[in-house]
């Protein structure tokens, strides 16, 4: 596409209305006035199309005129394909993940996502959640993105907090009662549910092993959780309680507060009496 670049020089005049004329005509009109305005010249760049420049000028009650020199230049307008738009969108993320919501909000048709999956540029991790072929697959982070209300808990939280060296065969996430995403039944995770008042306390944000932010229950909450009910290996429980008792960062007051809320205070007390 051809545009005409108009390089203008601004000087003082009595002109006060909008004018649209060819660049050649405008130059001729103000040619005689150019020398008189040289001591007040300021650079001013514009783009005019088809050699016609539309302008107006009024600044602090002083009118200005413009001397114009027109130069034709070529400029290519590149139209990005839908796939290129998605790639551009993904360059603005740090995790290599794009969602259907992000795509549609950017004005991109969601069918482009399927095309990119078909050609191997994207991997469909879950409904509405796509991963770049070059991105590192962080299971903790992907589960967090998929289930925003899920909190890593129990044995999984112990592992993430460095209180267990046993990699969980299945990750455990806790949800508030009433939350029932259909895909949870097909997910290979252990699902725990708690009443809403016991859901929100003790949540912390930490980095996964790949450096992504995930939500985990803190250590005191996790120790209380693994003492509730069944499912946790007794060896893992004993090792975690011993390590906590020996830690300089332990917070016995908070541990006992949590234990009372979660109704495991007698169990926690027995451990602490033996280990402290």
């Amino acid at each position: 596409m051809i545009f005409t670049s108009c390089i203008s020089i601004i000087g003082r005049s009595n002109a006060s209305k909008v004018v649209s004329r060819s660049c050649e005509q405008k130059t001729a009109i103000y040619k005689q006035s150019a020398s008189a305005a040289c001591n007040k010249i300021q650079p001013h760049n514009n783009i005019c199309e088809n050699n016609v420049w539309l302008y107006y000028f009024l600044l602090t009650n002083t009118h200005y005129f413009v001397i114009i020199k027109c130069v034709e230049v070529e400029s290519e307008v590149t139209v990005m394909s839908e796939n290129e738009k998605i790639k551009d969108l993904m360059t603005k993320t740090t995790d290599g993940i794009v969602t259907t919501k992000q795509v549609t909000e950017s004005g991109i048709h969601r069918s482009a996502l399927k095309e990119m999956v078909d050609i191997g540029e994207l991997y469909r991790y879950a409904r509405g959640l796509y991963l770049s072929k070059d991105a590192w697959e962080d299971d903790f982070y992907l589960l967090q993105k998929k289930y925003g209300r899920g909190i890593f808990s129990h044995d999984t939280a112990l592992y993430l907090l460095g209180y267990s060296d046993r990699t969980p065969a299945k990750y455990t996430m806790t949800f508030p009662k009433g939350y029932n995403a259909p895909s949870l039944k097909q997910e290979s995770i252990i699902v725990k549910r708690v009443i809403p008042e016991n859901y929100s306390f003790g949540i912390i944000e930490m980095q996964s092993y790949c450096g992504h932010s995930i939500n985990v229950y803190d250590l005191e909450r996790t120790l209380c959780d693994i003492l509730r009910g069944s499912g946790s290996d007794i060896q893992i429980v004993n090792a975690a309680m011993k390590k906590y008792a020996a830690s300089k960062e332990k917070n016995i007051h908070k541990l006992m507060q949590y234990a009372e809320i979660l109704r495991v205070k007698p169990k926690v007390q027995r451990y602490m009496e033996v280990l402290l």
Side-chain angles (χ1 to χ4, degrees):
M1 183 177 290
I2 302 296
F3 289 99
T4 305
S5 176
C6 295
I7 304 171
S8 57
I9 301 171
I10 299 178
R12 190 169 297 199
S13 173
N14 291 323
S16 61
K17 61 182 178 180
V18 175
V19 182
S20 177
R21 296 184 181 173
S22 74
C23 295
E24 292 82 1
Q25 290 174 333
K26 181 54 62 180
T27 302
I29 290 171
Y30 292 118
K31 185 176 181 181
Q32 294 179 346
S33 303
S35 59
C38 282
N39 62 337
K40 301 181 183 298
I41 287 175
Q42 296 178 6
H44 184 73
N45 298 322
N46 286 281
I47 297 295
C48 64
E49 191 171 359
N50 299 325
N51 277 341
V52 176
W53 187 58
L54 180 66
Y55 67 97
Y56 68 94
F57 26 79
L58 179 61
L59 181 63
T60 61
N61 298 320
T62 302
H63 301 296
Y64 289 82
F65 70 84
V66 183
I67 309 300
I68 308 161
K69 179 182 178 182
C70 294
V71 181
E72 285 193 346
V73 294
E74 283 196 13
S75 175
E76 291 186 4
V77 178
T78 303
V79 179
M80 295 177 68
S81 69
E82 297 286 81
N83 290 5
E84 288 171 332
K85 288 179 183 178
I86 292 178
K87 288 181 181 179
D88 182 63
L89 185 64
M90 295 193 73
T91 61
K92 298 172 184 176
T93 68
T94 58
D95 54 14
I97 292 174
V98 67
T99 64
T100 302
K101 182 180 178 182
Q102 288 174 310
V103 167
T104 53
E105 286 179 350
S106 298
I108 306 169
H109 198 279
R110 63 178 61 193
S111 62
L113 288 167
K114 183 179 184 305
E115 290 177 14
M116 293 195 72
V117 170
D118 292 341
I119 63 176
E121 290 291 330
L122 291 178
Y123 163 64
R124 186 178 184 271
Y125 178 79
R127 183 180 179 182
L129 191 62
Y130 296 82
L131 186 67
S132 168
K133 66 175 183 179
D134 301 319
W136 186 266
E137 193 166 335
D138 182 349
D139 289 335
F140 292 109
Y141 182 60
L142 289 169
L143 281 170
Q144 187 72 85
K145 291 284 285 186
K146 188 175 181 181
Y147 304 109
R149 300 196 68 188
I151 313 298
F152 288 104
S153 62
H154 296 77
D155 295 14
T156 303
L158 279 183
Y159 174 73
L160 289 166
L161 294 166
Y163 270 68
S164 173
D165 56 6
R166 190 182 300 182
T167 304
K170 287 185 176 182
Y171 299 141
T172 303
M173 297 187 85
T174 294
F175 298 86
K177 278 188 176 178
Y179 179 84
N180 190 26
S183 57
L184 272 177
K185 294 179 180 179
Q186 287 78 44
E187 200 71 62
S188 183
I189 62 173
I190 298 171
V191 176
K192 302 285 187 179
R193 290 187 173 85
V194 294
I195 57 176
E197 49 266 40
N198 288 350
Y199 166 75
S200 58
F201 72 87
I203 298 174
I204 60 172
E205 186 178 289
M206 66 174 292
Q207 301 293 302
S208 71
Y209 291 112
C210 295
H212 297 123
S213 295
I214 54 176
N215 294 324
V216 183
Y217 281 125
D218 66 17
L219 186 54
E220 287 76 17
R221 169 66 187 261
T222 298
L223 292 175
C224 292
D225 281 339
I226 63 176
L227 289 174
R228 297 177 72 202
S230 59
S232 295
D233 189 307
I234 189 63
Q235 291 182 336
I236 293 177
V237 175
N238 289 340
M241 296 300 288
K242 286 179 182 178
K243 185 173 181 178
Y244 181 79
S247 172
K248 293 181 180 180
E249 298 179 358
K250 62 180 176 290
N251 187 333
I252 299 298
H253 177 67
K254 182 165 73 170
L255 177 65
M256 298 311 295
Q257 277 188 320
Y258 286 0
E260 186 168 1
I261 294 171
L262 297 172
R263 300 180 181 180
V264 290
K265 190 172 182 179
K267 289 184 179 181
V268 172
Q269 284 178 325
R270 284 197 294 270
Y271 268 103
M272 293 299 106
E273 287 170 1
V274 173
L275 297 172
L276 292 177

